[in-house]
Amino acid sequence: MRRHRQYRRDAPFVLLFLAPSLAGFLLFFIIPFGAVAYYSIIDNPVNGNLVGFDNYRALWASGSFRKAFVNSLMFAGVSVPLLFAVSLGLAMLLKGALPFRQTFRSMFLLPMVVPVASIILVWQTLLQWNGAVNGLFLKWGVEPVDWMNTGWALAVMLLVFLWKNAGYNLIVFLAGLANIPAEQYESASIDGAGAIRKFRHITVPGLAPTSFFVIVMSIVSSFKVFRETYLVAGPYPYDTIYTLQHFMNNMFQALDYPKLTAAAVLLAIVIGATVYVLFAAERRSRRALEQ
């Protein structure tokens, strides 16, 4: 009862301190998303006639949307596990006594501070038709490859995505590894545990919260790869890298607001549902570890 009275007394001060953040969140996130959801169920912003789910049916009937939707899911399904494995592997390597460890850390952190346009300029210089890589191929007598207009386009964008995001996950994993007590590894060594058993029974459980955070942020990042793809290949890239952001950008340029807003709502639902499933799985795994 005493604690309840204390909460009631402190509640106005808590709300006062939270008011600027709540106002910003309401103004820049909740209200705009509500407007997008409203526009997705009307015929157009001028007439404003309610059409229900007709915009969503028309959207799903669009072949370009279905292609963009599948490509986005496939890119996330491939890039997120790959980014997780690469980031964790690099963190394990850089945690140990590796020569030039600080240099490697700085190298992987460099993409975080360099503007995206500068990064893409480097990749264009390397992988365009007359780029450095094809120049080496010609020098070695190998046929040049049109990297961004063949099946290699997806591999190129995966490589760009890894290089752009691995540094952030690397720092998060290094912080998580630093929080695992060294005594656990020492006790396991005394008991005769090898590197694999240490990793399975100490590192993996100890990194569970960190891994969950990395996976969630990687999923969000995988759906935001539009900037890189757009700057490398333009608004209509090769089929395998035509994503939902490309579709929405093209609908915006065509002033097709019903399809644009319906696609935005569906993308938000997909990301929200994925994050919800991950939160539920994280809670279940935490409860299992606590038992």
Side-chain angles (χ1 to χ4, degrees):
M1 190 68 180
R2 180 180 177 183
R3 182 175 297 178
H4 180 69
R5 288 198 300 268
Q6 183 179 358
Y7 285 158
R8 292 185 60 183
R9 187 180 67 248
D10 295 340
F13 300 101
V14 173
L15 291 176
L16 180 64
F17 280 106
L18 290 177
S21 297
L22 291 176
F25 183 72
L26 182 68
L27 181 62
F28 295 107
F29 291 95
I30 300 300
I31 294 177
F33 184 76
V36 168
Y38 170 72
Y39 287 135
S40 70
I41 58 174
I42 62 175
D43 54 356
N44 58 69
V46 177
N47 296 329
N49 298 320
L50 289 175
V51 295
F53 292 100
D54 289 349
N55 292 333
Y56 292 91
R57 296 189 188 98
L59 182 69
W60 192 251
S62 170
S64 59
F65 170 77
R66 292 198 303 270
K67 177 175 66 177
F69 185 77
V70 171
N71 286 345
S72 296
L73 292 181
M74 184 178 68
F75 185 86
V78 174
S79 64
V80 172
L82 194 58
L83 178 61
F84 182 89
V86 170
S87 303
L88 180 57
L90 290 173
M92 297 293 293
L93 285 175
L94 295 178
K95 179 192 174 187
L98 187 71
F100 306 107
R101 181 173 56 180
Q102 297 299 329
T103 303
F104 282 118
R105 287 185 180 182
S106 301
M107 182 179 67
F108 287 114
L109 288 176
L110 185 62
M112 296 177 59
V113 298
V114 177
V116 175
S118 302
I119 294 173
I120 297 307
L121 181 62
V122 173
W123 287 98
Q124 285 179 330
T125 304
L126 291 173
L127 296 172
Q128 65 181 349
W129 178 253
N130 296 318
V133 175
N134 281 339
L136 289 176
F137 282 178
L138 287 173
K139 185 176 181 180
W140 297 336
V142 180
E143 190 70 21
V145 177
D146 192 358
W147 298 99
M148 300 310 300
N149 293 300
T150 61
W152 286 102
L154 179 60
V156 170
M157 293 316 304
L158 284 172
L159 189 60
V160 173
F161 178 77
L162 291 176
W163 188 70
K164 181 71 173 64
N165 295 279
Y168 178 80
N169 290 352
L170 170 65
I171 293 300
V172 175
F173 274 129
L174 285 174
L177 290 170
N179 288 328
I180 300 176
E183 292 80 5
Q184 295 184 9
Y185 291 103
E186 294 174 359
S187 299
S189 299
I190 293 173
D191 293 337
I196 297 178
R197 292 187 61 186
K198 291 179 184 178
F199 179 79
R200 288 180 55 188
H201 298 288
I202 299 177
T203 304
V204 172
L207 285 178
T210 305
S211 300
F212 170 73
F213 175 78
V214 167
I215 291 173
V216 170
M217 296 304 296
S218 298
I219 290 174
V220 174
S221 298
S222 69
F223 283 98
K224 293 165 56 181
V225 74
F226 167 72
R227 291 182 304 172
E228 293 84 347
T229 310
Y230 185 87
L231 289 172
V232 170
Y236 294 97
Y238 191 71
D239 282 356
T240 56
I241 56 174
Y242 183 79
T243 62
L244 280 173
Q245 287 86 353
H246 287 95
F247 176 83
M248 289 188 286
N249 180 71
N250 295 334
M251 291 302 100
F252 176 76
Q253 292 181 350
L255 301 180
D256 193 342
Y257 294 114
K259 286 184 179 179
L260 168 63
T261 53
V265 171
L266 284 178
L267 179 59
I269 291 174
V270 169
I271 295 177
T274 304
V275 173
Y276 176 80
V277 170
L278 289 173
F279 268 104
E282 192 270 339
R283 285 195 298 268
R284 291 184 62 181
S285 63
R286 187 174 65 245
R287 290 170 185 169
L289 290 174
E290 291 174 354
Q291 292 178 356

